[in-house]
mmCIF file of all heavy atoms in Angstrom:
data_model
loop_
_atom_site.group_PDB
_atom_site.id
_atom_site.type_symbol
_atom_site.label_atom_id
_atom_site.label_comp_id
_atom_site.label_asym_id
_atom_site.label_seq_id
_atom_site.Cartn_x
_atom_site.Cartn_y
_atom_site.Cartn_z
ATOM 1 N N VAL A 338 26.155 4.852 -47.886
ATOM 2 C CA VAL A 338 26.329 4.920 -46.443
ATOM 3 C C VAL A 338 27.769 5.287 -46.151
ATOM 4 O O VAL A 338 28.649 5.229 -47.098
ATOM 5 C CB VAL A 338 25.953 3.570 -45.759
ATOM 6 C CG1 VAL A 338 24.540 3.223 -45.985
ATOM 7 C CG2 VAL A 338 26.885 2.444 -46.348
ATOM 8 N N THR A 339 28.072 5.587 -44.903
ATOM 9 C CA THR A 339 29.404 5.924 -44.412
ATOM 10 C C THR A 339 29.939 4.684 -43.647
ATOM 11 O O THR A 339 29.155 3.743 -43.353
ATOM 12 C CB THR A 339 29.453 7.097 -43.522
ATOM 13 O OG1 THR A 339 28.484 6.874 -42.386
ATOM 14 C CG2 THR A 339 28.949 8.339 -44.309
ATOM 15 N N GLU A 340 31.217 4.689 -43.380
ATOM 16 C CA GLU A 340 31.848 3.543 -42.741
ATOM 17 C C GLU A 340 31.321 3.281 -41.328
ATOM 18 O O GLU A 340 31.434 2.109 -40.863
ATOM 19 C CB GLU A 340 33.362 3.794 -42.652
ATOM 20 C CG GLU A 340 34.048 3.830 -44.025
ATOM 21 C CD GLU A 340 35.552 4.082 -43.920
ATOM 22 O OE1 GLU A 340 36.320 3.052 -43.762
ATOM 23 O OE2 GLU A 340 36.007 5.208 -44.018
ATOM 24 N N ASP A 341 30.744 4.280 -40.674
ATOM 25 C CA ASP A 341 30.323 4.115 -39.331
ATOM 26 C C ASP A 341 28.791 3.742 -39.286
ATOM 27 O O ASP A 341 28.193 3.653 -38.175
ATOM 28 C CB ASP A 341 30.563 5.324 -38.451
ATOM 29 C CG ASP A 341 29.933 6.563 -38.974
ATOM 30 O OD1 ASP A 341 29.340 6.503 -40.110
ATOM 31 O OD2 ASP A 341 30.020 7.614 -38.278
ATOM 32 N N THR A 342 28.187 3.518 -40.345
ATOM 33 C CA THR A 342 26.734 3.114 -40.427
ATOM 34 C C THR A 342 26.661 1.777 -39.833
ATOM 35 O O THR A 342 27.335 0.803 -40.105
ATOM 36 C CB THR A 342 26.229 3.028 -41.848
ATOM 37 O OG1 THR A 342 26.353 4.307 -42.475
ATOM 38 C CG2 THR A 342 24.750 2.701 -41.848
ATOM 39 N N HIS A 343 25.744 1.588 -38.815
ATOM 40 C CA HIS A 343 25.506 0.368 -38.094
ATOM 41 C C HIS A 343 24.878 -0.680 -38.922
ATOM 42 O O HIS A 343 24.138 -0.395 -39.854
ATOM 43 C CB HIS A 343 24.667 0.552 -36.830
ATOM 44 C CG HIS A 343 24.775 -0.475 -35.860
ATOM 45 N ND1 HIS A 343 23.986 -1.604 -35.923
ATOM 46 C CD2 HIS A 343 25.470 -0.663 -34.733
ATOM 47 C CE1 HIS A 343 24.280 -2.417 -34.931
ATOM 48 N NE2 HIS A 343 25.247 -1.862 -34.191
ATOM 49 N N MET A 344 25.187 -1.949 -38.642
ATOM 50 C CA MET A 344 24.649 -3.080 -39.440
ATOM 51 C C MET A 344 23.067 -3.134 -39.476
ATOM 52 O O MET A 344 22.499 -3.538 -40.398
ATOM 53 C CB MET A 344 25.242 -4.426 -39.014
ATOM 54 C CG MET A 344 24.871 -5.574 -39.843
ATOM 55 S SD MET A 344 25.873 -7.035 -39.587
ATOM 56 C CE MET A 344 25.409 -7.499 -37.931
ATOM 57 N N VAL A 345 22.508 -2.717 -38.355
ATOM 58 C CA VAL A 345 21.024 -2.732 -38.338
ATOM 59 C C VAL A 345 20.515 -1.804 -39.349
ATOM 60 O O VAL A 345 19.472 -2.137 -40.057
ATOM 61 C CB VAL A 345 20.552 -2.298 -36.926
ATOM 62 C CG1 VAL A 345 19.093 -2.048 -36.901
ATOM 63 C CG2 VAL A 345 20.884 -3.328 -35.920
ATOM 64 N N ASP A 346 21.107 -0.636 -39.523
ATOM 65 C CA ASP A 346 20.617 0.314 -40.540
ATOM 66 C C ASP A 346 20.869 -0.242 -41.996
ATOM 67 O O ASP A 346 20.095 -0.053 -42.901
ATOM 68 C CB ASP A 346 21.348 1.642 -40.383
ATOM 69 C CG ASP A 346 21.013 2.322 -39.110
ATOM 70 O OD1 ASP A 346 19.866 2.333 -38.727
ATOM 71 O OD2 ASP A 346 21.974 2.836 -38.472
ATOM 72 N N LEU A 347 21.944 -1.038 -42.123
ATOM 73 C CA LEU A 347 22.206 -1.681 -43.432
ATOM 74 C C LEU A 347 21.109 -2.725 -43.691
ATOM 75 O O LEU A 347 20.704 -2.817 -44.920
ATOM 76 C CB LEU A 347 23.598 -2.320 -43.394
ATOM 77 C CG LEU A 347 24.775 -1.470 -43.153
ATOM 78 C CD1 LEU A 347 25.977 -2.274 -42.992
ATOM 79 C CD2 LEU A 347 24.928 -0.385 -44.176
ATOM 80 N N VAL A 348 20.718 -3.486 -42.694
ATOM 81 C CA VAL A 348 19.605 -4.466 -42.898
ATOM 82 C C VAL A 348 18.350 -3.763 -43.476
ATOM 83 O O VAL A 348 17.769 -4.245 -44.464
ATOM 84 C CB VAL A 348 19.360 -5.200 -41.591
ATOM 85 C CG1 VAL A 348 18.095 -6.040 -41.703
ATOM 86 C CG2 VAL A 348 20.584 -5.977 -41.124
ATOM 87 N N PHE A 349 17.891 -2.693 -42.859
ATOM 88 C CA PHE A 349 16.760 -2.059 -43.361
ATOM 89 C C PHE A 349 16.848 -1.427 -44.683
ATOM 90 O O PHE A 349 15.969 -1.472 -45.504
ATOM 91 C CB PHE A 349 16.277 -0.970 -42.277
ATOM 92 C CG PHE A 349 15.659 -1.513 -41.109
ATOM 93 C CD1 PHE A 349 16.351 -1.947 -40.004
ATOM 94 C CD2 PHE A 349 14.245 -1.706 -41.022
ATOM 95 C CE1 PHE A 349 15.821 -2.448 -38.897
ATOM 96 C CE2 PHE A 349 13.622 -2.275 -39.879
ATOM 97 C CZ PHE A 349 14.333 -2.646 -38.851
#
Side-chain angles (χ1 to χ4, degrees):
V338 296
T339 57
E340 291 180 88
D341 59 354
T342 302
H343 196 274
M344 186 163 68
V345 171
D346 299 316
L347 301 176
V348 170
F349 282 88

